[in-house]
Amino acid sequence: FPVTIYPLMEKLGIESDVLICSKTRDENGKLTKLVVPQPVHYPATIVVIDDICDGGATFVKIGAQLRERGINSRLILVVTHVIQEAGVKNVLQYYDLMYATNSVAEFDVNGLRQIDVF
């Protein structure tokens, strides 16, 4: 997985270390465990990359953990698909900016930049 994000980071002009978070879900899809590693130092900008943002719970928990640690880095989320406007709004409580394609729908939410794929 980490190898595939480097071309995307380059295209977006993001120069940063890669920190891999992990999660576990139960049989119903509910998030049961989330691990956000704690590096020695955090960069000025932290970019979280994943495939889908539905309700945004995973990203909210990552953002909340970072903020609880006193991390004031700029947080950016990059996802391929965004499902619900509510998920975007949840995420943007913790993130400064969110990128997503318009593959599912287009949303007019301040802080969301959608990439046109059609």
Side-chain angles (χ1 to χ4, degrees):
F1 173 75
V3 174
T4 62
I5 67 170
Y6 292 114
L8 175 61
M9 291 172 61
E10 183 178 332
K11 184 162 182 79
L12 295 174
I14 299 166
E15 295 180 17
S16 181
D17 296 332
V18 173
L19 182 69
I20 299 174
C21 300
S22 62
K23 64 184 173 186
T24 307
R25 294 185 182 274
D26 66 15
E27 62 277 355
N28 298 315
K30 183 178 178 182
L31 188 63
T32 57
K33 182 178 180 183
L34 178 68
V35 176
V36 180
Q38 188 158 351
V40 175
H41 73 281
Y42 288 94
T45 301
I46 297 173
V47 180
V48 176
I49 300 174
D50 206 340
D51 58 347
I52 296 173
C53 176
D54 190 0
T58 299
F59 308 116
V60 165
K61 289 182 182 197
I62 291 171
Q65 280 190 33
L66 292 170
R67 297 302 186 208
E68 287 167 7
R69 293 176 187 170
I71 306 307
N72 293 320
S73 301
R74 184 171 186 232
L75 291 180
I76 298 174
L77 175 62
V78 179
V79 295
T80 307
H81 312 288
V82 61
I83 310 299
Q84 301 180 54
E85 184 172 327
V88 173
K89 291 179 178 178
N90 290 337
V91 164
L92 289 172
Q93 294 177 65
Y94 293 92
Y95 291 76
D96 301 291
L97 185 61
M98 179 176 178
Y99 289 95
T101 68
N102 66 346
S103 61
V104 175
E106 290 192 22
F107 302 102
D108 185 20
V109 178
N110 191 31
L112 171 64
R113 294 189 184 156
Q114 286 191 279
I115 300 163
D116 189 11
V117 294
F118 294 110

